[in-house]
Amino acid sequence: MKKKVAIIGAGIAGLSAAAYAAKAGHEVHVFDKNSTPGGRARQFTTHNGYTFDMGPSWYWMPDIIDNFFQDFGYHATDFYELVALHPQFQMIFEEDRLAVPGNYNELRAVFETIETGAGKQLDAFMKAARYKYEVGMQQFVNKPCHSWWEFVSPTIAMSALKLDLLSNFRSYVKKYFTHPKLVALMEFPVIFLGASPQQIPALYSLMNYGGYALGTWYPMGGFYKLVEAMQQVAEQQGAKFHFAHTVEEVIVHNKEVQSLIINGETHAFDAVIASADYHHFETLLAPPYRNYSEEYWQSRVFAPSSLIYYLGFNESIPHLTHHTLFFENDLDDHIDDIYGNKQWPRKPLFYACCPSKTDSSVAPANHENIFLLMPLATGLEDSEEMREKYFLEMIGRLEKHTGQPGLLQKIDYKRSYCVRNFMEDYNAYQGNAYGLANTLSQTAVLKPSIRNKKVKNLFYTGQLTVPGPGVPPSIISGKIAAQEVNQLKSIYHESTI
C-alpha cells in the first residue's frame, strides 16, 4: 500500500532508505538540517581551489556498494570512475614503513619477507576471511534483528564454528601471525568498527578480505561522488529532498507518528525513518515513546570521535601515498586512552589521506590536499588550544617521515573539525564519529532496535542500529528500514509539501 514516508537525515543510510522506499512506490520526502546531502560524507570546496571529503575516505567492499546500484539497474561505474590504489596504503612505524600492495601475490611476498611462513598463513587467513565475508555479508547483515530466531537457519548453523563468533579478533590474528608489524596490519581494519581488537568478534576478519583482497579503491572526484550518485538514484525513483529543514518535534497519537513539526510547520506522514542520530531523534519524542533511556545510552560503548584537519599545501609532499597510517606508537596505549581512560591520547596514532596523489581535481596544480584524522574518546572537552597541540604533533611527524621540513609555512588552507562539530552538525551523541562499537555485547539483536517498540510506524537506520558503522553497512541499513516500511498497513496522506 502506498504510503507517505518521511526520512530524517540524508546521510548514506538515509539516501539508501529513500531510494528503496521510493522504488517500492511510496511518496518519499527526505529532510536534512544541513544544506547538502551526505551527512558525515559531505564535501566542501575552498576559495583557493581545494575540494575536501569531510568523512569517509576508504572505499572498501566495492561489491556491496555496487549491489545498491544493481538493485536499480545500474553499476557504480555508471556514475563515477573507480580507480584501484597501488599501493593500497602504507603504515609508518618508528624506524621504517610498510607499503601494502594492491596485488595479492605481492602482498603475500611482503608477508613472507617479514615473517617466514607468513605468506602461507596469509592464504589460510584470507581463505577463512573470504568465507566469513560471503556468509556474513549475505546472511547476517541483511536481517532486521528483531529476534535471534532470524539467525536460525541451516546455513548459519553449519557455519557457526567457521564464523568464529565468540572468539576475539586479537587472539584470532595471533593464531596466524606473530610479528608486531603483521599483527598491526591485520588489526588495523577493525579500528573502523570502533573498539579494541580484544573486544571485536573474530567474525570481522571479513574486513580484511573486503579490504586487502578486494582492494582499496577511490572514486575520482572524491568519495562524495557516491553521495551524489545515491541521491540521483533516489530522485529517479521519485524521492524528494528538502535541505535546511530541521525536524523539531514528533507528534504521536494512538501509538503512531501522526505528524512532524519541521521548520515550524506541521506535516502528516504514514511512516517515518529516522536516519538522524538515534539518541537525538528520540529526544524529539515524548519520553513514553522512546525506545531507550538516557541511562541506556550512557552504558553503551561508542566508537571514537575524531580530531580532523583539512589542509592545503602550496607544494607537493614526497613519500606520502593516498592513505598513510602513522603507527609509530603503541595501538593499545591509544585505545586505552579512548575507551578506558577517556582522555586525550598521550601517544596518539593518526591517519593521513592525500587524495591529490591520485586525483588532480581536488587541489590546484602542484599543491597537496591532506586530511589528518586522529581517533579520540567521545565526550572530551574540545578546545582550540587542544586541537592545535595535536595538530603541531601530527605536522611534526609528517615532516619527519616525509623528509619535508617547514610544512607549517607551506599551508595555504587549514580547517579543523572535532567533538563539538560532530555534535553541532549531526547532533552526534557525545560527538561520536562512527556510531556504536561492534563489540560482542552490541552485535545484531543487541544493537538499538531498527523498529520503535512503542510507535508502530517509526523506524531507525544508520550507524547506531543494525548492521553497524561504515558505509556499506549503512547502505544495507537503509534497505532494511525501507523493507520494514513496506510491511506497514496505513492510509496514504496526500502531500502538502
Side-chain angles (χ1 to χ4, degrees):
M1 182 181 292
K2 184 178 182 181
K3 305 174 186 73
K4 184 180 174 187
V5 180
I7 296 174
I8 315 306
I12 297 292
L15 292 167
S16 174
Y20 284 109
K23 182 184 179 184
H26 306 305
E27 180 188 336
V28 175
H29 293 272
V30 185
F31 302 93
D32 197 292
K33 69 190 287 287
N34 293 306
S35 59
T36 58
R40 287 164 170 79
R42 290 181 299 155
Q43 188 179 77
F44 71 93
T45 57
T46 71
H47 67 282
N48 55 346
Y50 294 97
T51 298
F52 291 97
D53 284 321
M54 295 187 69
S57 57
W58 292 80
Y59 198 105
W60 276 2
M61 302 187 183
D63 56 329
I64 303 302
I65 296 175
D66 201 55
N67 285 345
F68 168 82
F69 293 104
Q70 289 182 42
D71 283 345
F72 299 91
Y74 297 107
H75 288 284
T77 51
D78 293 328
F79 297 91
Y80 46 83
E81 179 188 358
L82 270 181
V83 297
L85 300 183
H86 302 290
Q88 297 188 51
F89 60 94
Q90 65 174 338
M91 298 184 78
I92 303 292
F93 298 102
E94 183 59 35
E95 300 299 334
D96 59 3
R97 66 186 68 212
L98 171 63
V100 178
N103 177 278
Y104 180 78
N105 288 331
E106 292 178 13
L107 178 63
R108 190 183 188 280
V110 168
F111 270 63
E112 192 66 32
T113 60
I114 294 174
E115 182 178 309
T116 301
K120 185 176 180 180
Q121 288 294 87
L122 179 64
D123 290 340
F125 185 99
M126 284 299 182
K127 181 179 179 181
R130 178 176 180 173
Y131 182 85
K132 294 183 180 74
Y133 186 85
E134 291 173 348
V135 173
M137 299 308 290
Q138 292 175 17
Q139 297 283 328
F140 270 62
V141 299
N142 293 298
K143 298 184 182 299
C145 296
H146 300 313
S147 164
W148 288 113
W149 288 107
E150 295 170 27
F151 298 92
V152 178
S153 74
T155 302
I156 292 176
M158 292 172 62
S159 305
L161 290 176
K162 291 184 179 181
L163 293 174
D164 293 296
L165 294 169
L166 299 179
S167 54
N168 74 69
F169 193 83
R170 169 155 293 171
S171 298
Y172 182 77
V173 167
K174 288 190 172 181
K175 290 179 181 177
Y176 293 88
F177 310 104
T178 59
H179 197 285
K181 289 180 182 175
L182 297 184
V183 171
L185 175 61
M186 300 310 281
E187 287 185 345
F188 151 67
V190 302
I191 293 174
F192 290 118
L193 302 175
S196 162
Q198 295 103 310
Q199 293 183 303
I200 296 289
L203 165 69
Y204 288 103
S205 62
L206 64 84
M207 294 278 289
N208 299 88
Y209 179 80
Y212 302 171
L214 297 183
T216 301
W217 300 79
Y218 174 78
M220 296 298 285
F223 210 97
Y224 194 67
K225 291 297 180 183
L226 171 62
V227 171
E228 292 177 329
M230 292 183 71
Q231 181 184 5
Q232 185 177 337
V233 168
E235 288 178 330
Q236 286 176 354
Q237 309 309 306
K240 295 179 175 60
F241 287 80
H242 310 273
F243 298 107
H245 278 65
T246 300
V247 177
E248 297 155 343
E249 189 176 350
V250 182
I251 308 299
V252 177
H253 181 68
N254 289 337
K255 297 184 178 180
E256 286 190 346
V257 174
Q258 185 179 64
S259 57
L260 302 173
I261 299 178
I262 305 169
N263 286 5
E265 297 183 356
T266 301
H267 302 279
F269 292 96
D270 296 299
V272 173
I273 298 175
S275 184
D277 180 89
Y278 200 129
H279 168 270
H280 168 73
F281 191 85
E282 290 230 306
T283 66
L284 306 181
L285 289 161
Y289 300 119
R290 298 172 187 173
N291 268 349
Y292 303 104
S293 66
E294 194 64 31
E295 291 72 24
Y296 169 86
W297 291 108
Q298 291 172 1
S299 72
R300 299 299 88 189
V301 178
F302 275 80
S305 186
S306 296
L307 169 62
I308 300 170
Y309 271 89
Y310 308 100
L311 303 171
F313 291 87
N314 61 17
E315 67 176 49
S316 179
I317 300 176
H319 308 304
L320 275 182
T321 54
H322 191 117
H323 299 298
T324 303
L325 304 168
F326 286 78
F327 268 54
E328 309 101 305
N329 298 323
D330 185 76
L331 172 63
D332 287 344
D333 286 347
H334 193 147
I335 286 173
D336 286 345
D337 284 340
I338 292 174
Y339 297 106
N341 304 320
K342 289 275 187 179
Q343 65 184 22
W344 285 81
R346 294 159 294 175
K347 295 181 177 180
L349 312 179
F350 72 97
Y351 156 60
C353 180
C354 188
S356 49
K357 294 295 184 186
T358 304
D359 186 352
S360 62
S361 74
V362 300
N366 302 314
H367 286 52
E368 215 77 279
N369 172 320
I370 294 182
F371 165 115
L372 301 180
L373 183 149
M374 186 177 75
L376 294 174
T378 57
L380 292 179
E381 184 177 344
D382 169 20
S383 67
E384 291 299 327
E385 293 76 15
M386 193 62 80
R387 294 186 189 196
E388 191 69 11
K389 171 188 172 183
Y390 284 93
F391 167 70
L392 293 175
E393 175 171 345
M394 289 189 285
I395 287 292
R397 287 159 66 179
L398 197 63
E399 289 180 337
K400 174 183 176 182
H401 290 287
T402 60
Q404 194 83 343
L407 287 182
L408 284 175
Q409 287 70 49
K410 297 164 185 173
I411 294 173
D412 62 358
Y413 182 81
K414 177 183 176 185
R415 174 184 176 185
S416 66
Y417 201 94
C418 198
V419 175
R420 67 174 183 269
N421 301 106
F422 283 103
M423 297 172 72
E424 291 164 357
D425 287 353
Y426 313 120
N427 298 306
Y429 184 77
Q430 294 187 346
N432 79 83
Y434 303 105
L436 280 182
N438 265 353
T439 61
L440 279 169
S441 62
Q442 295 180 166
T443 295
V445 177
L446 301 177
K447 287 187 181 295
S449 174
I450 205 163
R451 178 191 293 166
N452 188 293
K453 302 167 186 176
K454 303 166 187 177
V455 182
K456 70 180 184 180
N457 61 343
L458 173 57
F459 305 92
Y460 304 87
T461 188
Q463 59 186 9
L464 288 175
T465 184
V466 295
V471 169
S474 291
I475 292 173
I476 294 167
S477 185
K479 182 177 183 178
I480 294 171
Q483 290 169 341
E484 291 289 300
V485 167
N486 292 340
Q487 298 174 27
L488 277 177
K489 295 180 180 179
S490 61
I491 298 172
Y492 174 65
H493 289 86
E494 290 294 336
S495 180
T496 57
I497 300 176

